Amino acid sequence: MKIGFIGAGSMGSLLVGAFVRAGAMRPDDIVVSSRTVNKLFDLADQYPGLQTVTTNQEAALGADYLFLCVKPLDFRTVLDEISPVLTSEQIVISITSPVKILSLEEIIPCKVAKIIPSVVNAVGSGASLFIWGSRLTAEDQAALWNLFSAISEPILISEEEVRVASDISSCGPAFLACLLEQFIDAAVISTGMERETATELACEMMLGTARLMLEQSCSPIELQAKVSVPGGITAAALEVLRKTTRGAFLQVLRTTHEKFAEDLDRVDYSLSARERT
Ligand SMILES: NC(=O)C1=CN([C@@H]2O[C@H](COP(=O)(O)OP(=O)(O)OC[C@H]3O[C@@H](n4cnc5c(N)ncnc54)[C@H](OP(=O)(O)O)[C@@H]3O)[C@@H](O)[C@H]2O)C=CC1
Ligand SMILES: O=C(O)[C@@H]1CCC=N1
């Protein structure tokens, strides 16, 4: 088994680490290439047996699975390099939302899956968003599902849903961290509580909130009702929170969707320019 990774940035490195720690991949099976070689040295140090290579072609050649972990506008360069060595038996996994499966299938002969991970997969948590390409067999799909089950909860989505699903699953950790940062800052600034204590309380609270919602099928509305004693402190503070945050996530989603539309155009242009040359 050969598993290639192209791009040892934040997500490429995170996925390698998560799969190895979960026992879903053996370092001996993994071959990684990346533009900046220092990142490769770090991975080789951390996972003895993992092979690093200096060209993307070496990572791609003969790989059973090939993970493309570069940013959307780097796809053209990478595809130009690896196309000559790719074959129809290989499975290419793209982890980025604005590169359409159809575009990849037009350019490379491989089977293609789009699987959007999340930073929380690093701790075996969170979802991974699956969109199947047309060439994958049922066995290919089962194997990929099984692989990602080791580090996440795989969820099948349609290509049309990819933006909003990624907003919640992949951008969401940053959005929640931003809200928690404000919560923690407020506790520290207004009461003098130690930042470390406030942070620990906030993390435990967030973990427990998610577990309660998942394990007891508790909706956000039910959860708020559970905590709010009628006429009590939470109810009063929730009023303030609702007023001050009303519409915030509509604006957040508007922003992600606008940026996504721009990225789609730029990626489509870069990939179609490739076909013209
Ligand atoms: N961060 C996240 O939470 C998530 C990210 N994603 C998607 O994953 C993709 C990668 O994101 P992320 O890991 O955060 O980005 P990074 O910038 O951290 O990683 C991208 C890596 O690709 C390398 N690279 C760029 N061009 C080439 C090339 N031609 N050949 C080989 N390697 C190359 C970069 O090298 P260099 O070090 O030289 O820049 C970098 O190490 C993005 O498309 C993003 O949308 C998906 C879900 C979640
Ligand atoms: O910020 C980004 O573009 C990527 C997409 C999903 C999470 N991070």
Side-chain angles (χ1 to χ4, degrees), residues 33-262:
S33 64
S34 203
R35 193 167 53 190
T36 304
V37 284
N38 286 355
K39 293 182 181 169
L40 294 176
F41 298 150
D42 291 346
L43 276 179
D45 282 349
Q46 276 179 283
Y47 307 105
L50 176 147
Q51 195 190 337
T52 61
V53 287
T54 50
T55 68
N56 294 330
Q57 276 203 355
E58 288 170 276
L61 182 71
D64 300 283
Y65 293 107
L66 179 64
F67 287 81
L68 302 182
C69 304
V70 299
K71 287 193 274 203
L73 289 173
D74 293 321
F75 266 68
R76 176 188 166 161
T77 310
V78 170
L79 293 175
D80 280 347
E81 281 167 17
I82 65 176
S83 285
V85 302
L86 294 177
T87 66
S88 60
E89 287 309 300
Q90 293 176 282
I91 298 179
V92 165
I93 298 120
S94 162
I95 67 161
T96 192
S97 49
V99 178
K100 293 194 212 101
I101 293 216
L102 208 57
S103 307
L104 286 174
E105 286 182 338
E106 275 169 15
I107 295 167
I108 55 177
C110 309
K111 306 172 192 186
V112 178
K114 181 143 104 178
I115 304 178
I116 312 293
S118 169
V119 283
V120 295
N121 299 162
V123 289
S125 225
S128 46
L129 308 173
F130 275 64
I131 306 166
W132 302 128
S134 63
R135 297 179 189 143
L136 293 158
T137 65
E139 288 101 87
D140 296 330
Q141 294 181 359
L144 284 170
W145 197 267
N146 191 37
L147 181 66
F148 273 83
S149 295
I151 62 164
S152 62
E153 191 65 45
I155 293 181
L156 193 60
I157 59 163
S158 66
E159 184 116 56
E160 292 69 42
E161 290 172 310
V162 73
R163 185 61 263 145
V164 67
S166 302
D167 288 343
I168 298 173
S169 179
S170 306
C171 305
F175 299 153
L176 281 195
C178 170
L179 294 178
L180 278 191
E181 180 196 1
Q182 293 178 44
F183 203 171
I184 292 164
D185 278 351
V188 171
I189 292 162
S190 66
T191 72
M193 178 184 243
E194 290 291 324
R195 181 167 294 274
E196 207 183 340
T197 312
T199 306
E200 189 184 353
L201 290 176
C203 292
E204 291 294 346
M205 174 278 294
M206 191 158 64
L207 194 61
T209 303
R211 285 191 58 194
L212 197 58
M213 289 174 67
L214 276 175
E215 291 171 21
Q216 298 190 4
S217 301
C218 183
S219 74
I221 291 176
E222 286 165 342
L223 205 149
Q224 289 172 71
K226 262 186 209 293
V227 186
S228 305
V229 179
I233 294 167
T234 310
L238 272 174
E239 277 303 300
V240 176
L241 189 61
R242 285 197 193 104
K243 261 194 211 127
T244 50
T245 58
R246 188 163 291 139
F249 279 97
L250 280 176
Q251 287 184 53
V252 164
L253 292 196
R254 196 174 305 132
T255 305
T256 59
H257 281 67
E258 282 170 7
K259 175 76 171 70
F260 184 60
E262 278 170 30

